[in-house]
Each structure stands twice: as structure tokens, then as C-alpha cells.
């Protein structure tokens, strides 16, 4: 059992938690993820490690209340226990040789991009960050992000905060202004990563995306997380989750992620009405 | 006592095929006391004991059967478990026709003695009526780490714990049992049996650390730093192979591992569990082994109207246990033998809508000694299916090998180990599917047992 030691609501639909998992914390590196299972009836759900504290033995996760499992997790409180919490999974980010980087985050993806930005910044790499949100109300981690990079560019789709527009618009204008990034990290919804990769391609800027296919085990034994990268089949949980954005078949990934949509939607409605969420203490 | 000369085994009481193909309860109900004693009477107590040589762990077959015939079921249990820790499991899943029963002299003129059924009966009887409680032996203070909680890890752990070794099993999944819990379905091997075996090990003092991936959470080197004197790798062969034909990324194409894990480990078939799974109408399972049979029979039970087994060789070459093939046919699984998939087609949403196949014929024997299937040109046809399950084999996961200095693996990714289980790295032993590639429960158990002996000798040599 793994205890929730802190819980912080970042906005209406995003929650941060620190979970006591000393063995995972001892090994965690940026770019890796964990899988949790709430209780005996739960699914195994992957979440990126957004931070870790080796001394305290805790792992930080930031998640959007998407469907059944994440909604139920969001209803748990400090001191409660999660049945299973396994990791660190996936390959750590490879920051080798990077000198000037732009991290692009979309929505909750900012939470996942933020540790990468921080790690790079701490290494002395020049880091810009573009963080995009739908509107002002859901902006998260602004201070943390600002502290983790040289320039933070905040955008909202409706212009209610920061600059109006999509992250891709901002990225394009920065690239055009001759920023000369050697690498762009894009982390967020698949559609956003697809368009970021399309923007960087003509500039020939190496682009890393963090993929989020549906997973079961996270150890390479089911193949459910397979993605097509450069025409080859890769298992995102062991070969990734980070890949070269210019080689990923995003359309296929979007289709695959929608496979259980109807079933999940029903399950998601079901929890709110019937159990109010939490099944276990 | 006069032997029972009936040429046939006592039939196994079973659920009706058309009832059981809609539920996940166990197919076979097991012998009653009377059936078991009657079946035991068919054994001729042969001096040469050919049956024993057919069993990979040399269960003392005529002896235990003799005890059954006498009604001494406790005695029979003791005889079996002197060489086989998990008889309730082996009795159910061993491919007896190619092992013990395949060598039985009664099989020359009729059916062999139902050795597997008797083994199962004795184990089940003991589970219900056995008295002695499992006790933790006095610790000898020597720490051994076991990676993986499949049959090979469990048997290695059991043999060591029995003699007081301080054993910890590390398991990547949230439940222990390996293929016994994530692969083989409930209707063939009730999970309560596996859980009980694991509880027994715990009662003997074995610690089970789930959610721990060796190579990620902890490395083999770190295990040694933590004070483990020896490590046994029983991590299985869990990496699924795909066919690399067009259409394998379409929605509705599963590896058998994924499909079975969703159903067996994550209980997609049970109400209340959150695990989603395709609601299939027509399913094609590619392959002819136990894994394919299990996937097909699960699909049927999950509500599919039509389920095909698509296999490129003929009935004779089907690698599955004979009983599973027989059961699958009874359950209205349709066998498309000498057929091979060529391409999977999808609709505009990327969902599987049919699978194109080609007919095959058998040519000259290949390296495996089986006749090589050859494509019949122009014989292509389509199967209308919405789900395709790929069950063409698995190989060992490279994670441990790639994170452990000095541990060698062969071209297929199998860890190199000698007969006694010693690997190329001192203090590290390995066995089961991780060494042989996908094989059988009893082979994996046998390997775990042998390695336990080697580990004892190794630790003693270090004193
Ligand atoms: C390596 C990895 C890291 C991740 N890190 C984070 C993270 O740090 N924070 C976070 O909020 N989420 C993260 N995700 C995504 C998260 O795992 C999914 O959103 C998960 O499905 C939520 O589970 P649920 O039961 O709450 O929702 P579900 O009921 O499973 O899903 C709700 C809806 O989302 C769709 N969906 C299912 N899985 C995915 C997916 N993987 N991606 C996109 N849509 C999906 C479903 O079809 C459905 O419509 C990560 C995913 C991966 C693979
Ligand atoms: C669907 C199916 C049906 C089968 N039917 C039969 C049958 O009827 N009869 C028969 O004899 N055989 C059958 N087999 C084969 C048999 O189950 C295997 O040969 C046997 O289970 C191998 O045992 P093992 O202990 O070597 O490995 P496994 O049972 O595979 O166990 C390995 C365990 O190690 C864990 N692991 C892997 N990597 C790590 C790591 N890095 N860290 C921690 N843990 C790890 C895995 O999660 C797993 O739990 C079947 C197999 C399948 C898949
Ligand atoms: S362990 Fe398997 S092969 Fe050996 S006697 Fe029992 S059923 Fe037969
Ligand atoms: S070969 Fe058959 S008949 Fe002979 S001892 Fe073995 S089980 Fe009995
Ligand atoms: S999640 Fe199963 S192989 Fe990646």
C-alpha cells in the first residue's frame, strides 16, 4: 500500500499528489512514469513522474481528472492509501548535447514538461518554456515553471491570460525570430504534439514528444501501447515514452486512444452518480 | 488386487460445453473418491515405470497411484509432493499426453491411466481435507532473492524456504503467480488454487514484494548490495511477438498477452472491475498453442458469436494440449487449419473489419522436424471478424539482461544457464521460460527446483 502524503488541487480538473514510494523515488529520473491501481477493482493507469524527493521517499504526480480512475484518485485524501504504485517505468529523458531548448506544454502536459525544463535548467541549459491553456481559470504551476526556465511564454486559447493563441503559434513566431533552439520538447494532448512537430519540421529542429498510449502492464509484455515510429512498431512503455516527433504516426495513436471511449465514458458517468467515487479508504 | 482392465479412463465430469462456453467456472469438475479409486485400479504398477521417466520432475507415479487405490489420499499427497510442489496445478495443466501418460503402458492398448486426473484429485482432496498446518522452519539466515512469481520462482522459493533460507520473491505485477494468474484462465485453473500456494509459501516465511520490477525499481547488483547471497531469475518469456503483416495496429488487434491479461489478471469478465475490453462479435485467434486455445475460449465466453482459430499447419501439429483442443471444439470454436493470415483490413475509423488469409499445404519437414507450410498461390479469402488476437509466441523480456553486467543471453534473448541453473554471472541462477523460451509449467517448476539445489551448494561453498 502506498500512502498519499500531500494533495493539492491545482485547478478544478487537475490535482497534484505526493505518494510515499521510497523504492521508486530512489530511482526516478525525468521522463519516466509510474502506474497506479487504486484497489482490487481498479485499472492500471500510467502517470508521468513530475517530481521526486529521494530523502522523503516520495513521488509527485499531477493528473487531470479524465475518467473513472483519475476521478476516483482525485477524491482520495492525504493519509489515504493507493493499493499499487509501480515504477519508475520507461526510459529517462536523454538530454545529452542540448544547449538551447524550448519546452512546450499543453494543459496538464505543462506539469509533465515542467520537470524536464527544471532538470535542463539545473544542468545549465538555456531553457524557454511555452505553456498553453484553454483559459485563465485552468492555468497551473505558473510560478514553478517561471523559476525553471529563462523565458516563460504563457498562452491561452481565448486570450483571457498571457498571449492569445495556441502554443504552436508562439513556437512558430519564436522559431521565425531566430531563437535557434537545438531541441523542442512537446508534451500534452496528442493533437498538440502532432502540430508542434509539424511546426518544427521545416526548421529542422529536433523534436521530442512524450507519448501517452493506452497501457496495461508498462513493462513490455502486452504490446497494447504500440506506436508506429519511423515505420517501425515500438512499445511506448519500454522503448519510450519519448520519441522523435518527426517520425511518430500521431493519427494512428489518436485512433488507438479512442478505442474504449464509449465504455470509459459510461464508466465515468457511473462513478459520479452511484458511488460518489471512492471505493476504498 | 485385480487390475481394472477397462480400456478407457474414467471420464472426467465436466460442465456441458454449451453452458460452460458462457461462464468462467472451471470446465472439469474433478474425480470423486470412487472414480479416483477405480481409475487407480487401472495402473499395473509396472516395474520399469515408463510413466515416471516421462514426467519432467519424476513424480513417483505408481507409488502414489497405489496409495490412491488403497484410499490413502494423505499418503498419496506426500508421495507426489516429495518431487512436485504444485500438484493441483500440474494435474490440471500438464500436457500429460506427451509426458507421463504418453509413456504409460496402458496407453498401448486403449487409454493410458489418468495420471493427471489422479494427481489433481489427490491435491484437491488434500486442499479440502488435509490437516497439517504449514509452519515456518527455523531461519538459517541466508538471504536469497527470486525474480518472478511464476511456477519456476515459486518452486525455487518453496524448496529453499523449506530448509530455512530467507527468501524474498520480487514480482513486477500487482499479483503473484506469473502466467498462472495473468495467462491461464479461471475456467482451466481457478485462481484460488494459485493464491493458496502463495499463502502457503508466505506461511513458510517467504516474503513476496509485488510492484517491484527488477531492472527498474531495483537492479540485480543492488539486490547483492542489500545482502542477498544469491539471485534466481524466473522472469518468464512475456514479450509478445507480432506477425508484422499490414493492419496489426488497427483497433481490435490484440496480442494474446494483452487480451488474456485484461481478462484474467484485470478481471474484465467480472462485474465491478474497471477494465475495458472489446465487445467482439467475431474473433480470429492466430496460433495453435495453449495460448491460442485460451484466448479463443475466453473470447467465446466474453460473448463473441463466432471464434476462429487460424493455424498455418494441420491438426497433427497443433502444439496445444490435446484436452484443450478437444474442449475448444466442443465449445464451438471453429478451426481454420492450414490457413495463414496475410493482412488485416480496417474501416474508416481504423477498426478491424476483416482478415485476409491464404490456404497452405504441407511440404517437406523443416528444422523443427514438422512439415513446412507452403502458401497455395491465389487461394486468398476473407474472414469477417472485428477482433484479431495474435498468439504466435513470446520471448523473454530483455530488461534484466540489459541491466545486469555479465549476464549473457542467446540470440533469442533467452538467458544462458547450464543444467543446474547457473548463469554466466556468479551467484545468479536462472530457469523456466526465461531460459528455455515459452515452455511448460512443469518444466519451469523443475528448473526452479534444480536451481534451488545449486543455490544451496553455492551458498555452502562460500562459507
Ligand atoms: C506514459 C504516460 C504518462 C502519462 N502521464 C500523465 C500525467 O502525468 N497526467 C495525466 O493527467 N495523464 C497522464 N497520462 C494519461 C492518463 O494515463 C490517461 O488519461 C488515463 O487513461 C486516465 O485514466 P482514467 O481512468 O481516469 O480515464 P479513462 O476512463 O481511461 O479515459 C477517459 C478518456 O480518455 C481517453 N484515454 C484513455 N487513455 C488515454 C490516454 N493514454 N491518452 C489520452 N486519452 C486517453 C479514453 O478513451 C476516454 O475517452 C499518461 C499516459 C501515459 C501513457
Ligand atoms: C495463456 C497461456 C497458457 C498456457 N497453458 C499452459 C498449459 O496448459 N500447460 C503448461 O504446462 N504450460 C502452459 N503455458 C506455459 C506456462 O504457463 C509457462 O511455461 C510457465 O508459466 C513458465 O513459468 P515461469 O515461472 O518461467 O514464468 P512465468 O509464469 O512467465 O512468470 C514470470 C513472472 O516474472 C515476472 N517478471 C518478469 N520480469 C520481471 C522483472 N524484471 N522483475 C520482477 N518480476 C518480473 C512476471 O510478471 C511473471 O509474473 C501457458 C502459457 C500461457 C501464456
Ligand atoms: S507433474 Fe505433470 S507430467 Fe508429472 S506426473 Fe504430474 S501431470 Fe504427469
Ligand atoms: S506406466 Fe501406466 S500402468 Fe505402468 S506404472 Fe505407470 S501409470 Fe501405472
Ligand atoms: S503497456 Fe504493455 S507493452 Fe507497453
Amino acid at each position: 500500500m502506498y500512502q498519499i502524503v500531500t494533495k493539492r488541487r491545482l485547478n478544478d480538473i487537475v490535482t497534484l499528489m505526493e505518494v510515499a514510494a521510497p523504492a521508486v523515488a530512489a530511482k526516478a529520473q525525468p521522463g519516466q512514469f509510474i502506474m497506479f491501481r487504486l484497489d482490487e477493482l481498479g485499472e492500471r493507469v500510467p502517470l508521468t513522474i513530475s517530481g521526486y524527493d529521494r530523502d522523503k521517499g516520495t513521488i509527485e504526480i499531477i493528473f487531470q481528472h479524465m475518467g473513472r480512475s483519475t476521478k476516483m484518485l482525485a477524491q482520495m485524501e492525504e493519509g489515504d492509501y493507493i493499493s499499487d504504485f509501480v515504477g519508475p517505468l520507461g526510459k529517462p529523458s536523454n538530454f545529452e548535447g542540448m544547449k538551447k531548448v524550448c519546452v512546450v506544454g499543453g494543459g496538464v502536459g505543462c506539469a509533465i514538461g515542467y520537470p524536464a525544463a527544471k532538470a535542463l535548467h539545473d544542468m545549465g541549459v538555456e531553457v524557454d518554456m511555452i505553456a498553453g491553456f484553454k483559459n485563465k481559470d485552468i492555468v497551473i504551476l505558473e510560478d514553478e515553471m517561471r523559476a525553471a526556465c529563462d523565458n516563460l511564454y504563457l498562452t491561452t486559447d481565448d486570450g483571457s491570460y498571457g498571449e492569445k493563441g495556441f502554443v504552436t503559434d508562439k513556437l512558430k513566431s519564436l522559431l521565425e525570430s531566430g531563437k535557434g533552439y537545438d531541441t523542442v520538447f512537446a508534451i500534452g494532448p496528442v493533437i498538440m504534439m502532432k502540430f508542434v512537430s509539424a511546426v518544427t519540421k521545416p526548421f529542422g529542429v529536433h523534436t521530442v514528444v512524450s507519448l501517452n498510449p493506452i497501457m496495461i502492464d508498462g513493462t513490455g509484455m502486452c504490446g497494447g501501447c504500440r506506436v508506429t515510429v519511423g515505420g517501425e512498431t515500438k512499445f511506448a512503455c519500454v522503448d519510450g515514452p519519448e520519441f522523435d516527433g518527426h517520425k511518430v504516426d500521431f493519427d494512428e495513436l489518436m485512433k488507438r486512444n479512442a478505442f474504449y471511449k464509449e465504455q470509459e465514458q459510461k464508466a465515468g458517468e457511473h462513478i459520479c452518480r452511484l458511488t460518489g467515487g471512492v471505493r476504498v479508504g | 488386487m485385480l487390475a481394472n482392465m477397462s480400456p478407457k479412463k474414467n471420464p472426467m465430469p465436466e460442465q456441458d460445453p454449451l453452458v460452460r462456453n458462457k461462464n468462467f467456472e472451471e470446465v472439469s469438475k474433478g474425480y470423486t473418491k470412487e472414480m479416483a479409486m477405480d481409475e487407480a485400479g487401472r495402473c499395473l504398477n509396472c516395474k520399469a515405470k515408463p510413466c515416471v521417466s516421462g514426467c519432467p520432475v519424476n513424480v513417483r507415479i505408481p507409488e502414489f497411484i497405489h496409495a490412491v487405490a488403497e484410499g490413502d489420499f494423505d499418503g498419496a499427497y506426500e508421495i507426489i509432493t516429495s518431487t512436485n510442489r504444485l500438484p493441483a496445478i500440474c494435474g490440471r495443466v500438464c500436457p500429460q499426453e506427451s509426458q507421463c501418460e504418453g509413456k504409460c503402458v496402458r496407453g498401448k492398448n486403449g487409454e493410458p491411466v489418468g495420471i493427471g486426473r489422479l494427481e489433481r484429485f489427490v491435491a484437491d482432496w488434500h486442499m479440502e481435507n488435509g490437516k497439517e498446518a504449514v509452519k515456518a522452519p527455523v531461519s538459517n539466515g541466508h538471504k536469497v532473492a527470486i525474480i518472478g512469481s511464476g511456477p519456476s520462482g515459486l518452486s525455487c522459493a518453496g524448496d529453499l524456504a523449506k530448509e530455512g533460507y530467507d527468501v524474498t520473491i520480487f514480482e513486477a505485477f500487482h499479483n503473484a503467480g506469473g502466467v498462472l494468474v495473468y495467462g491461464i484462465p479461471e475456467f482451466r485453473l481457478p485462481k484460488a488454487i494459485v493464491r493458496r500456494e502463495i499463502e502457503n509459501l508466505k506461511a513458510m516465511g517467504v516474503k513476496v514484494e509485488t510492484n517491484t520490477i527488477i531492472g527498474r525499481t531495483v537492479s540485480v547488483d543492488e539486490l547483492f548490495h542489500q545482502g542477498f547471497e544469491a539471485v534466481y531469475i524466473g522472469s518468464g518469456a512475456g514479450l509478445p511477438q507480432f506477425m508484422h503483416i499490414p493492419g496489426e495496429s488497427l483497433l481490435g488487434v490484440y496480442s494474446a498477452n494483452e487480451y488474456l491479461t485484461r481478462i484474467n489478471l484485470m478481471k474484465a469478465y467480472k462485474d465491478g472491475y474497471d477494465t475495458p475490453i472489446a465487445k467482439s462479435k467475431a474473433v480470429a485467434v492466430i496460433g495453435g498453442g495453449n495460448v491460442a486455445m485460451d484466448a479463443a475460449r475466453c473470447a467465446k465466453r466474453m460473448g463473441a458469436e463466432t471464434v476462429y482459430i487460424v493455424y498455418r499447419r494441420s491438426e497433427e501439429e497443433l502444439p496445444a494440449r490435446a484436452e484443450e483442443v478437444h474442449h475448444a471444439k466442443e465449445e464451438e470454436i471453429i478451426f481454420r487449419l492450414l490457413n495463414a493470415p496475410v493482412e488485416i483490413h480496417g474501416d474508416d475509423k481504423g477498426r478491424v473489419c476483416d482478415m485476409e488469409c491464404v490456404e497452405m499445404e504441407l511440404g517437406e519437414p523443416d528444422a523443427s522436424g514438422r512439415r513446412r507450410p507452403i502458401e497455395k498461390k491465389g487461394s486468398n479469402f476473407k474472414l469477417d471478424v472485428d477482433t484479431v488476437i495474435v498468439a504466435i509466441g513470446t520471448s523473454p523480456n530483455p530488461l534484466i539482461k540489459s541491466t545486469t553486467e555479465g549476464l549473457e543471453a542467446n540470440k533469442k534473448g533467452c538467458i544462458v544457464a547450464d543444467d543446474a541453473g547457473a548463469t554466466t554471472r556468479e551467484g545468479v541462477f536462472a530457469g523456466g521460460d526465461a531460459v528455455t523460451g515459452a515452455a511448460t509449467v512443469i518444466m519451469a517448476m523443475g528448473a526452479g527446483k534444480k536451481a534451488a539445489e545449486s543455490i544451496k551448494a553455492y551458498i555452502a561453498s562460500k562459507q
Side-chain angles (χ1 to χ4, degrees):
Chain A
M1 301 286 269
Y2 302 79
Q3 191 173 38
I4 299 167
V5 290
T6 45
K7 172 182 174 181
R8 185 151 64 97
R9 277 244 168 170
L10 299 183
N11 66 31
D12 280 355
I13 53 158
V14 179
T15 298
L16 176 153
M17 279 180 180
E18 277 181 293
V19 178
V24 187
K27 280 296 184 64
Q29 288 181 61
Q32 291 186 297
F33 64 97
I34 57 94
M35 291 189 97
F36 77 86
R37 193 181 73 129
L38 276 181
D39 59 18
E40 170 57 28
L41 303 175
E43 294 180 81
R44 293 168 63 93
V45 180
L47 294 175
T48 306
I49 295 171
S50 66
Y52 48 84
D53 187 325
R54 302 214 203 279
D55 299 328
K56 269 170 50 194
T58 55
I59 292 287
E60 182 189 273
I61 48 175
I62 300 177
F63 57 95
Q64 189 165 355
H65 316 162
M66 278 288 284
R68 191 178 175 92
S69 308
T70 47
K71 281 178 186 164
M72 285 201 286
L73 180 61
Q75 301 200 22
M76 296 182 74
E77 299 300 339
E78 284 176 11
D80 289 349
Y81 287 88
I82 303 171
S83 170
D84 303 288
F85 195 90
V86 58
L89 298 161
K91 289 191 177 150
S93 304
N94 178 2
F95 297 138
E96 231 174 78
M98 294 182 189
K99 295 199 172 63
K100 193 165 180 189
V101 173
C102 185
V103 177
V104 186
V108 72
C110 294
I112 306 161
Y114 154 68
K118 186 169 184 303
L120 284 160
H121 194 64
D122 291 349
M123 285 163 59
V125 175
E126 205 179 321
V127 183
D128 284 357
M129 193 163 177
I130 307 174
F133 299 92
K134 278 215 179 75
N135 59 53
K136 180 174 195 289
D137 299 339
I138 61 165
V139 172
I140 53 171
L141 299 172
E142 184 178 349
D143 297 340
E144 286 89 341
M145 290 189 292
R146 208 172 285 288
C149 63
D150 297 280
N151 299 294
L152 175 69
Y153 305 99
L154 242 158
T155 67
T156 49
D157 297 2
D158 65 358
S160 54
Y161 195 65
E163 280 178 58
K164 182 175 159 62
F166 297 125
V167 288
T168 40
D169 303 333
K170 186 71 211 174
L171 178 63
K172 191 154 182 234
S173 74
L174 288 173
L175 287 169
E176 276 166 353
S177 75
K179 272 284 194 175
Y181 300 120
D182 52 55
T183 308
V184 168
F185 270 92
I187 303 163
V190 180
I191 186 85
M192 176 216 120
M193 296 191 278
K194 172 179 168 170
F195 285 117
V196 167
S197 303
V199 166
T200 56
K201 188 136 197 211
F203 294 91
V205 180
H206 177 52
T207 301
V208 181
V209 293
S210 180
L211 301 185
N212 57 353
I214 295 170
M215 294 186 175
I216 309 287
D217 56 299
T219 64
M221 67 75 72
C222 77
C225 64
R226 59 196 188 277
V227 288
T228 306
V229 182
E232 278 180 55
T233 300
K234 299 278 179 192
F235 292 180
C237 67
V238 285
D239 300 323
E242 293 180 354
F243 293 100
D244 181 343
H246 295 150
K247 295 191 177 154
V248 171
D249 184 341
F250 290 104
D251 294 335
E252 178 187 279
L253 176 58
M254 278 187 270
K255 281 187 193 154
R256 288 186 63 84
N257 273 351
F259 190 41
Y260 299 107
K261 207 161 197 147
E262 276 167 42
Q263 281 182 55
E264 301 279 22
Q265 265 163 6
K266 278 195 203 117
E269 286 161 20
H270 200 61
I271 75 159
C272 312
R273 278 189 287 109
L274 271 184
T275 63
V278 182
R279 267 188 307 234
V280 286
Chain B
M1 188 172 49
L2 211 61
N4 169 355
M5 289 317 290
S6 161
K8 287 200 171 288
K9 288 184 195 176
N10 273 273
M12 188 66 141
E14 284 167 357
Q15 274 195 72
D16 180 81
L18 301 185
V19 171
R20 72 179 189 237
N21 71 7
K22 294 173 192 69
N23 69 49
F24 275 81
E25 282 153 43
E26 196 172 11
V27 167
S28 309
K29 300 288 187 199
Y31 278 170
T32 60
K33 219 154 88 174
E34 290 71 30
M35 291 174 192
M37 289 171 71
D38 189 63
E39 183 64 24
R42 294 185 62 228
C43 173
L44 303 175
N45 208 347
C46 313
K47 282 234 163 48
K49 303 176 196 168
C51 49
V52 176
S53 65
C55 168
V57 295
N58 305 125
V59 166
R60 292 148 56 201
I61 295 166
E63 285 174 66
F64 101 74
I65 293 184
H66 184 69
V68 173
E70 308 258 277
D72 175 13
F73 306 137
D74 274 326
Y77 185 77
E78 237 166 75
I79 296 167
I80 297 174
T81 50
S82 70
T83 56
N84 176 357
R85 295 202 67 79
L86 308 169
I89 296 169
C90 295
R92 285 171 166 83
V93 306
C94 267
Q96 285 94 6
E97 72 274 14
S98 55
Q99 296 180 356
C100 52
E101 293 181 22
K103 293 270 167 71
C104 173
V105 293
R106 294 293 308 256
K108 287 190 184 132
N109 245 320
E111 289 183 351
V113 176
I115 302 171
R117 293 173 183 183
L118 288 173
E119 190 167 307
R120 166 188 165 152
F121 166 78
V122 170
D124 288 359
W125 187 91
H126 181 83
M127 222 178 275
E128 272 189 25
N129 306 292
K131 277 173 210 72
E132 97 284 26
V134 184
K135 280 195 305 269
V138 181
S139 169
N140 67 13
H142 293 297
K143 281 175 74 179
V144 179
I146 310 267
I147 306 172
S149 59
S152 77
L154 294 180
S155 78
C156 187
D159 277 16
L160 289 168
K162 192 169 69 185
E163 295 186 15
Y165 289 80
D166 180 357
V167 179
T168 308
I169 300 178
F170 296 96
E171 169 56 48
F173 265 128
H174 54 262
N175 279 343
V179 169
L180 306 179
V181 296
Y182 80 68
I184 304 182
E186 177 78 15
F187 58 80
R188 221 153 54 81
L189 177 64
K191 301 308 150 222
I193 293 174
V194 184
R195 263 199 309 277
R196 203 188 137 103
E197 295 300 344
I198 289 157
E199 288 313 314
N200 279 346
L201 284 181
K202 286 184 180 167
M204 284 163 68
V206 174
K207 296 183 253 327
V208 181
E209 300 276 357
T210 49
N211 295 324
T212 308
I213 303 169
I214 304 302
R216 287 263 188 249
T217 321
V218 188
S219 68
V220 167
D221 290 288
E222 284 165 323
L223 291 176
F224 284 111
H225 294 153
Q226 289 175 14
F228 289 100
E229 293 164 69
V231 173
Y232 178 70
I233 305 173
S235 52
L239 206 69
Q241 282 159 21
F242 284 91
M243 294 170 295
H244 305 293
I245 59 170
E248 270 186 310
S249 286
L250 290 166
L251 306 183
V253 182
Y254 287 98
S255 74
N257 267 4
E258 177 179 0
Y259 193 74
L260 291 169
T261 299
R262 282 180 183 275
I263 293 174
N264 301 316
L265 182 74
M266 306 299 295
K267 306 272 187 286
Y269 71 91
K270 274 194 178 169
D271 280 348
Y273 282 77
D274 294 343
T275 315
I277 193 151
K279 303 247 178 296
S280 316
K281 283 210 174 64
V283 180
V285 179
I286 301 161
N290 287 322
V291 184
M293 299 305 140
D294 284 344
R297 296 169 72 197
C298 280
K300 192 82 186 175
R301 284 163 172 76
M302 294 302 290
E305 284 154 29
T306 315
V307 181
Y308 302 103
I309 290 270
V310 177
Y311 181 58
R312 64 195 184 120
R313 300 181 199 249
S314 71
E315 171 121 19
E316 239 172 82
E317 289 88 12
L318 279 171
R321 289 180 78 215
E323 191 178 25
E324 308 313 326
V325 175
H326 170 70
H327 280 160
K329 284 185 180 164
E330 283 185 339
E331 290 169 13
E332 301 191 319
I333 307 294
I334 303 163
F335 282 69
R336 304 294 307 236
L337 302 169
L338 288 164
N339 283 177
V342 180
E343 176 166 0
I344 306 164
H345 298 120
D347 62 17
D348 51 352
K349 287 192 180 140
R351 291 173 186 257
V352 172
C353 60
D354 68 68
M355 185 167 85
E356 186 177 329
C357 300
V358 64
E359 290 175 20
M360 312 294 273
E361 56 198 348
L362 293 181
E364 295 300 308
D366 63 13
S368 72
R370 298 177 302 178
R371 294 174 63 194
R372 185 201 310 273
I374 305 166
E375 212 175 288
K376 280 198 219 166
K377 285 265 173 302
S379 63
N380 296 42
F381 66 97
K382 279 181 182 172
L383 285 179
D384 283 327
V385 292
D386 54 22
T387 305
V388 172
I389 302 172
V390 184
I392 58 165
T394 54
S395 54
N397 193 314
L399 186 60
I400 295 175
K401 138 110 212 340
S402 66
T403 53
T404 310
E405 196 87 32
L407 187 68
E408 270 176 39
N410 67 16
K411 279 201 300 285
K412 291 181 176 159
C414 300
I415 293 172
V416 176
D418 65 17
D419 257 2
T423 68
T424 51
R425 166 93 185 249
E426 189 186 331
V428 179
F429 300 79
D433 284 7
V435 167
T436 56
T440 61
V441 169
I442 190 67
M443 304 271 278
M445 281 186 44
K449 208 174 162 54
K450 265 196 191 146
E453 293 311 314
S454 307
I455 289 171
K456 288 178 206 165
Y458 170 74
I459 290 178
S461 77
K462 291 266 136 188
Q463 300 310 305

